[in-house]
Amino acid sequence: MVVDKELHVANDMHRPITMARILAVTLSCAAGLAVAVIFGMAVGSSGTDFGALFRSLKGQGAVDATTWTIFWQLRWPRVLMAMETGAALALGGLVFQALLRNPLAEPYILGTSGGAAVGAIVGILVGLSLFPGVSAAAFGSSALSVTLVLILASGRGGLRRDALILAGVMVNAFCGALILFFISTTQDARLHTILFWLMGDLSRAEISTVYRLGGVLAACSTILLAMARSMNVMLIGRDTAGTLGVPVTWTRWFLFGVTTFMVSAAVCATGLLGFVGLAVPHGLRMLLGPDHRVLVPACFFGGGGYLIICDALARWIPKHGEMPAGVVTALIGAPLFIVLLRRTLR
């Protein structure tokens, strides 16, 4: 009976989805991203002016030099960075939730982001270059954290989903302790920058970093879209996926590697931004269903738009200055995590 039910679900997942639906969902999410970009460009600590933004699109002579600098040299790279980071974290959460079959799985909770932060801080403190030195250190530390979580959550019967979140919390706590140790024992002049970066800082976005992260995101998201069918099958279960011709072990570790690389690149660029990979995939799955052929492009655009809005709010809410974007994402994501945890434990 269980096998028949699983096969029915598998057949349902692989029913042809019309190109019209995929295109409609993708264009809708892309339109939402475009609205978020306009909002993120127009809103800031120096004021909100949609009219000046649209006038600046006509050319540099349509607005004064200061306004032009604010829009296109300060806010534009920041908006692009927020878009890329949000897309990477949302896709990371989507993949982790599919592979681990757990709606609470996401890069921040499972220690992937914390591990990447540890590696990045070590790279910064020893004087490595941002690329490839700090990026490589962040990826290696992130991969180690993911592996440790999976080992801790595994038992004789395989991966225990009920122990997964606990293992992630433990590894996260250890990474947090390491970060505090490095910060408390260093006299580096960049200490304040590191502290602000740990809270999710997009204020130092540079166009060169945007290009590098964009290249990583483009490659990794293309791979994830190509493997959307495999993720659909793996939602059903390991045994059923194997009978349907999916090389489960290879697929799982390959997707873990691609996702960890993508998330560590985002963390290295912007710091810790928690719960983006929880809120966006969960919300889109409720709206669009479980098929990853639709969810991958939706999370790409939806995650980018979501973080742009959060960063714009982080600049707009304080009366003076701005707050880290990670504060806003945590204020939104933490209550959602509690609600999902309550539902899971019922």
Side-chain angles (χ1 to χ4, degrees), residues 27-61:
L27 290 178
S28 298
C29 293
L33 174 61
V35 172
V37 168
I38 293 173
F39 182 77
M41 287 287 292
V43 174
S45 56
S46 61
T48 302
D49 193 340
F50 289 92
L53 172 62
F54 291 123
R55 287 195 302 272
S56 72
L57 294 174
K58 299 179 182 179
Q60 191 169 359

Side-chain angles (χ1 to χ4, degrees), residues 73-83 201-206 210 308 311 314-315 322-325:
Q73 294 186 18
L74 297 179
R75 291 184 186 173
W76 177 238
R78 182 167 182 162
V79 166
L80 290 178
M81 181 67 75
M83 179 187 71
D201 181 24
L202 292 162
S203 64
R204 298 178 180 273
E206 297 179 355
V210 169
I308 290 173
D311 183 52
R315 287 179 276 139
E322 61 184 59
M323 68 176 72

Side-chain angles (χ1 to χ4, degrees), residues 204-216:
R204 298 178 180 273
E206 297 179 355
I207 201 67
S208 59
T209 307
V210 169
Y211 288 149
R212 285 195 293 266
L213 182 57
V216 171

Side-chain angles (χ1 to χ4, degrees), residues 231-321:
M231 286 190 281
N232 284 345
V233 177
M234 293 185 70
L235 277 177
I236 307 166
R238 183 185 182 93
D239 295 336
T240 305
T243 60
L244 293 174
V246 175
V248 177
T249 301
W250 180 88
T251 300
R252 172 175 287 178
W253 285 107
F254 179 73
L255 287 174
F256 270 134
V258 170
T259 305
T260 300
F261 178 66
M262 179 176 62
V263 170
S264 63
V267 171
C268 185
T270 60
L272 294 177
L273 290 159
F275 302 105
V276 177
L278 177 72
V280 176
H282 185 76
L284 290 175
R285 189 179 287 108
M286 291 179 63
L287 289 174
L288 304 175
D291 199 305
H292 289 82
R293 290 170 288 182
V294 176
L295 286 176
V296 169
C299 283
F300 182 95
F301 292 111
Y306 174 78
L307 190 54
I308 290 173
I309 296 296
C310 289
D311 183 52
L313 292 176
R315 287 179 276 139
W316 179 63
I317 292 175
K319 293 182 179 180
H320 304 286

Side-chain angles (χ1 to χ4, degrees), residues 162-221:
D162 56 341
L164 186 65
I165 301 302
L166 179 59
V169 170
M170 292 169 57
V171 172
N172 243 337
F174 181 69
C175 290
L178 285 178
I179 291 171
L180 292 176
F181 171 78
F182 290 134
I183 290 176
S184 62
T185 56
T186 183
Q187 302 297 323
D188 198 293
R190 293 166 293 183
L191 182 60
H192 180 267
T193 302
I194 293 173
L195 287 173
F196 205 76
W197 173 80
L198 284 172
M199 293 183 283
D201 181 24
L202 292 162
S203 64
R204 298 178 180 273
E206 297 179 355
I207 201 67
S208 59
T209 307
V210 169
Y211 288 149
R212 285 195 293 266
L213 182 57
V216 171
L217 178 62
C220 293
S221 59

